[in-house]
Amino acid sequence: MTRATASDQAREYPAFPMPPVCPFAPPPGYAELRSRAPVTRVAFRDGRRAWLVTSYTHVRQVLADPRSGSNRGDVGFPTIVPLAPHRPDKGNLVSLDPPEHTVLRRLLAGGFTLRRMNALRPRIRRLVDGQVAHLMRQARPVDLVDSFARPVPLLVLCDLLGIPYADHRLILRLIGAQVRTTVTAGQREAARRALDDHLRDHVTAKEQAPADDLLSHIAEKLRQAGTYDREVLTRITAMLLVAGHGTTMNTIGLGTVGLLREPGRIASLAQYPAEIPGTVEELLRYYSVADPVSRRVALADMRLGNVTVRAGDGIIASLLAADHDRSVFPDPGTLRTGHNARHHLAFGYGVHQCLGQNLARVILQCALASLSTHVSGLRLAVPERDLPLTSDATTYGLREAWVTW
Ligand code: HEM
């Protein structure tokens, strides 16, 4: 990625990241840039520069372009978490480019099909209902993030993978350190190693005693392909936990609070459950919590809108900005229950589009179904302005959200 030169320093580039100032609207700079310069240079605090893309059309274009590379080890890649000197990471789909990416993606895709996820729905619903029962046993007010949004995705992921949830505190701490922008490269690397050590034990146990779970399923697929490797399976498991937890947690937390802003909205979902899938799509669009996740490095010169992005330049495709593009979503700042926004980009676009999106949808749908059915009178226990946002992670969300009923 390009660093500022003396002539550049004379020019002022907008600063990146642009954290949201409130949970219910994208950073104001996004709309301004989209109308003026939808592909524009921005500057990181440390002097690095990258292109920020804010229009729906250009975000899709860049994510669909085979000249957009994902290798985090490439010097031009616009990293936002501190990285230790790069080691090739064969299990990390997000960081692979075709053809390696295509091979691993095909191998994993069978574990996340819509059919498979729908078959798991009753099981996921039971887990979510159990967590709602736990929430309701707490003294009110209750922190919805701590008692519901944070545990639910990890409960489901552990169950799906076939690893014990009993270690949740350790797992949450270690995956949290992978996505935090404020840790040092050394702290992040130590957490990565500790998570690998922990997960490797489970991977090894599955070698002795395979079961009917995703870890054993992926191990079998790797064996069939003749590429079984304990370290690769350990890394795949870690990647699934890191990619699947914070994103889903933040969408549950923000999504529930977004619906609570209008009294009766959650309760009406119990009455009209057919509206839940459309509501989930709208929440995914509205918040697009994985906003700065879709980053790339140009592998060759490419024309994007009216600018030329040079080989080696970093590119940040803002999913949140794209999902609030007025030319595609009229009235993007209004959360419209029942409005189907399925062509949103909250799960990204192109070859790296979210592998776990069918699973995420089922979890989110079960969360809304369970809360609306079992918690009558759910409401915020604090003023909206007191809802603290997390701004130190690769996805954004609520640090806490106190509710009562
Ligand atoms: C609301 C929840 C979720 C959101 C908003 C979300 C969002 C995203 C986005 C935007 C990408 C694309 C990244 C890029 O362009 O580089 C992505 C990729 C990915 N996601 Fe998700 N995700 C969610 C849940 C999950 C879950 C539950 C899992 C699975 C356990 C998961 C696993 C993955 C994986 C493995 C990738 C990498 C795919 C690839 O590189 O081919 N995600 N996700």
Side-chain angles (χ1 to χ4, degrees):
M1 184 164 48
T2 355
R3 285 197 166 266
T5 60
S7 66
D8 282 338
Q9 277 161 2
R11 299 175 63 173
E12 283 279 310
Y13 293 114
F16 191 85
M18 298 178 185
V21 286
C22 103
F24 307 111
Y30 282 1
E32 198 259 317
L33 284 178
R34 194 189 311 108
S35 64
R36 190 168 52 80
V39 183
T40 193
R41 276 191 197 272
V42 287
F44 286 90
R45 214 175 297 153
D46 62 9
R48 292 174 303 149
R49 284 179 285 119
W51 295 97
L52 176 67
V53 186
T54 46
S55 80
Y56 185 89
T57 312
H58 294 117
V59 163
R60 284 215 313 188
Q61 185 189 335
V62 80
L63 295 180
D65 196 313
R67 292 167 297 180
S68 299
S70 287
N71 185 350
R72 268 67 180 157
D74 193 311
V75 283
F77 192 89
T79 51
I80 52 176
V81 291
L83 289 180
H86 193 68
R87 296 157 288 96
D89 183 355
K90 285 190 182 156
N92 193 2
L93 206 54
V94 197
S95 185
L96 293 177
D97 287 326
E100 290 83 1
H101 174 269
T102 321
V103 173
L104 184 60
R105 173 94 190 197
R106 277 203 193 119
L107 195 138
L108 297 178
F112 293 91
T113 60
L114 186 57
R115 206 158 70 105
R116 207 177 167 102
M117 294 306 125
N118 276 333
L120 287 174
R121 190 182 290 268
R123 193 177 171 122
I124 293 176
R125 180 64 195 266
R126 272 197 299 281
L127 290 169
V128 176
D129 281 349
Q131 198 57 37
V132 166
H134 167 83
L135 172 87
M136 294 181 75
R137 285 195 295 273
Q138 310 297 304
R140 283 169 265 172
V142 181
D143 178 5
L144 184 86
V145 175
D146 195 49
S147 296
F148 188 69
R150 185 176 296 119
V152 159
L154 191 61
L155 268 167
V156 175
L157 286 166
C158 286
D159 187 66
L160 180 74
L161 286 161
I163 60 178
Y165 180 72
D167 304 317
H168 61 278
R169 280 198 185 79
L170 175 72
I171 298 177
L172 283 173
R173 184 166 59 75
L174 298 177
I175 60 178
Q178 311 289 303
V179 294
R180 201 146 299 130
T181 51
T182 44
V183 296
T184 63
Q187 288 166 328
R188 187 168 183 273
E189 183 61 11
R192 190 191 69 80
R193 280 176 203 271
L195 181 62
D196 281 2
D197 290 345
H198 177 74
L199 295 175
R200 193 178 300 107
D201 290 345
H202 297 302
V203 168
T204 311
K206 298 286 173 201
E207 288 171 3
Q208 318 297 327
D212 183 17
D213 54 42
L214 189 61
L215 241 182
S216 306
H217 167 88
I218 298 172
E220 183 51 28
K221 289 273 178 192
L222 287 166
R223 270 190 212 98
Q224 283 168 7
T227 52
Y228 182 80
D229 175 325
R230 188 178 293 161
E231 286 314 303
V232 171
L233 184 53
T234 302
R235 289 275 68 230
I236 291 173
T237 312
M239 172 201 64
L240 292 174
L241 289 169
V242 172
H245 182 263
T247 44
T248 313
M249 168 180 86
N250 287 332
T251 309
I252 295 175
L254 284 165
T256 309
V257 167
L259 294 174
L260 288 179
R261 295 178 85 197
E262 206 180 292
R265 221 163 176 183
I266 289 210
S268 84
L269 294 176
Q271 233 181 327
Y272 304 104
E275 287 195 0
I276 291 177
T279 303
V280 163
E281 295 313 311
E282 177 66 347
L283 292 172
L284 283 161
R285 175 199 71 81
Y286 187 82
Y287 290 108
S288 298
V289 299
D291 181 36
V293 164
S294 291
R295 282 159 290 122
R296 302 290 186 264
V297 54
L299 301 177
D301 289 359
M302 55 203 266
R303 195 82 188 140
L304 210 51
N306 56 4
V307 306
T308 300
V309 173
R310 298 283 173 207
D313 284 356
I315 309 168
I316 303 151
S318 171
L319 305 176
L320 179 60
D323 280 342
H324 282 254
D325 187 331
R326 219 166 261 287
S327 67
V328 181
F329 304 102
D331 197 10
T334 304
L335 192 58
R336 291 158 67 196
T337 308
H339 161 74
N340 196 333
R342 235 188 137 88
H343 53 299
H344 62 72
L345 301 181
F347 290 122
Y349 192 73
V351 294
H352 289 279
Q353 198 183 53
C354 182
L355 175 76
Q357 59 184 286
N358 295 325
L359 173 63
R361 286 191 167 103
V362 173
I363 301 175
L364 294 167
Q365 290 167 10
C366 287
L368 287 189
S370 191
L371 284 175
S372 61
T373 311
H374 298 298
V375 198
S376 153
L378 184 65
R379 60 188 185 279
L380 270 180
V382 291
E384 259 176 42
R385 64 176 180 280
D386 292 344
L387 292 168
L389 271 170
T390 49
S391 55
D392 63 342
T394 52
T395 69
Y396 77 97
L398 292 171
R399 204 185 323 275
E400 50 190 54
W402 293 88
V403 296
T404 191
W405 53 90

